[in-house]
């Protein structure tokens, strides 16, 4: 199983690096032109049912800066030493265009549903590639993966960290995380964006301060 895992991740890593380099050259290294990117964030081109570019950024950052950004980095340093930080930084710069392209495609091929907009890989697979069955397969797999994979791993990491440091029972942490998640998600994208506009900048600042402290 470990060999299969190593082979799969090796192939995935190569594909991510190659696609990142391809999009970087194709887009003339747009992801490194910070002045142009910040200029776009100043636009307030939302309508009554949408959210602003800065709100969209905060929601995206909330999905990127999570427990994996802490536990994952700590584990990589533990396994590979301090030099791992250099390769993480380099790989982030190389593969960043992939995220840029993914988000751009999600906007191009999004659909309006009532007052909200729906988009993502399943939508641009169906509308961009014309692969309807593949889009349904992707959507089904990602739902299963998030429920039984990503969300459980993140909740477990939060629980283990707080249990180790503050000796709080895992069941209590799980209930608190569940309640807060429900209260935020239940209000829809606008509720998520409002929470993200307040919480994400503070979380990012704390994250950067912790990084500088380390």
């Amino acid at each position: 199983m470990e060999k299969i895992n190593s082979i799969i991740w090796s192939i995935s890593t190569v594909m991510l690096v190659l696609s990142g380099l391809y999009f970087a050259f194709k887009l003339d290294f747009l992801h490194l032109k910070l002045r142009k990117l910040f200029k776009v964030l100043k636009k307030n081109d939302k309508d009554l049912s949408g959210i602003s570019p800065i709100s969209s950024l905060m929601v995206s950052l909330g999905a990127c800066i999570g427990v994996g950004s802490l536990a994952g980095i700590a584990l990589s340093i533990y396994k590979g030493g301090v030099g791992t930080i250099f390769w993480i930084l380099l790989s982030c710069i190389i593969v960043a265009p992939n995220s840029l392209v993914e988000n751009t495609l999600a906007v191009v091929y999004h659909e309006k549903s009532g007052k909200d907009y729906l988009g993502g890989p399943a939508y641009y697979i169906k509308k961009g590639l014309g692969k309807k069955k593949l889009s349904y397969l992707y959507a089904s797999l990602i739902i299963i993966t998030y429920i039984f994979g990503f969300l459980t791993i993140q909740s477990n990491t939060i629980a283990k960290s707080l249990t180790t440091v503050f000796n709080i029972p895992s069941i209590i942490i799980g209930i608190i995380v569940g309640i807060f998640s429900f209260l935020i998600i239940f209000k829809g994208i606008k509720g998520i964006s409002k929470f993200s506009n307040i919480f994400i900048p503070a979380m990012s600042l704390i994250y950067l301060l912790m990084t500088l402290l380390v």
Side-chain angles (χ1 to χ4, degrees):
M1 192 65 184
E2 188 174 342
K3 288 185 177 179
I4 295 174
N5 187 52
S6 299
I7 293 172
I8 292 174
W9 273 109
S10 297
I11 296 172
S12 301
T13 303
V14 171
M15 294 301 295
L16 283 170
V17 171
L18 290 178
S19 57
L21 289 172
Y22 171 78
F23 289 125
F25 283 99
K26 196 74 174 178
L27 298 174
D28 194 25
F29 294 90
L30 179 62
H31 65 296
L32 297 180
K33 298 178 180 179
L34 299 182
R35 182 180 295 181
K36 183 177 289 187
L37 295 176
F38 281 113
K39 188 177 180 180
V40 174
L41 290 177
K42 292 180 181 179
K43 294 182 179 180
N44 189 23
D45 55 354
K46 68 174 182 178
D47 56 28
L48 294 176
S49 60
I51 59 176
S52 65
I54 190 68
S55 295
S56 179
L57 173 64
M58 292 300 109
V59 173
S60 298
L61 285 176
C64 296
I65 306 173
V67 293
S69 302
L70 298 172
I73 301 299
L75 181 61
S76 65
I77 294 174
Y78 173 76
K79 290 284 187 178
V82 181
T84 310
I85 298 173
F86 169 78
W87 295 108
I88 292 173
L89 176 62
L90 182 62
S91 62
C92 286
I93 295 173
I94 293 175
V95 303
N98 291 328
S99 182
L100 176 63
V101 172
E102 287 177 355
N103 284 279
T104 302
L105 288 172
V107 173
V108 172
Y109 293 105
H110 73 276
E111 293 179 0
K112 192 168 185 178
S113 176
K115 294 183 178 181
D116 299 320
Y117 290 94
L118 305 176
Y123 285 84
Y124 57 73
I125 289 174
K126 181 176 72 173
K127 299 173 68 176
L129 296 177
K131 304 288 186 180
K132 191 174 181 179
K133 291 182 179 179
L134 182 61
S135 68
Y136 288 145
L137 176 62
Y138 176 88
S140 301
L141 289 175
I142 207 69
I143 289 172
I144 295 171
T145 303
Y146 263 88
I147 292 174
F148 297 104
F150 295 126
L151 297 181
T152 52
I153 291 172
Q154 291 189 352
S155 299
N156 180 63
T157 305
I158 294 171
K160 277 196 170 184
S161 301
L162 293 177
T163 300
T164 302
V165 178
F166 300 107
N167 198 27
I168 303 174
S170 299
I171 185 66
I172 295 177
I173 299 170
I175 292 172
I176 293 173
V177 171
I179 292 172
F180 272 102
S181 299
F182 172 77
L183 292 174
I184 296 168
I185 297 172
F186 181 73
K187 295 180 180 179
I189 185 62
K190 284 193 173 182
I192 296 173
S193 65
K194 285 180 181 179
F195 175 81
S196 300
N197 286 342
I198 299 171
F199 182 74
I200 300 304
M203 183 184 72
S204 301
L205 180 61
I206 294 171
Y207 182 81
L208 290 172
L209 290 175
M210 288 176 62
T211 305
L212 290 172
L213 179 63
V214 172

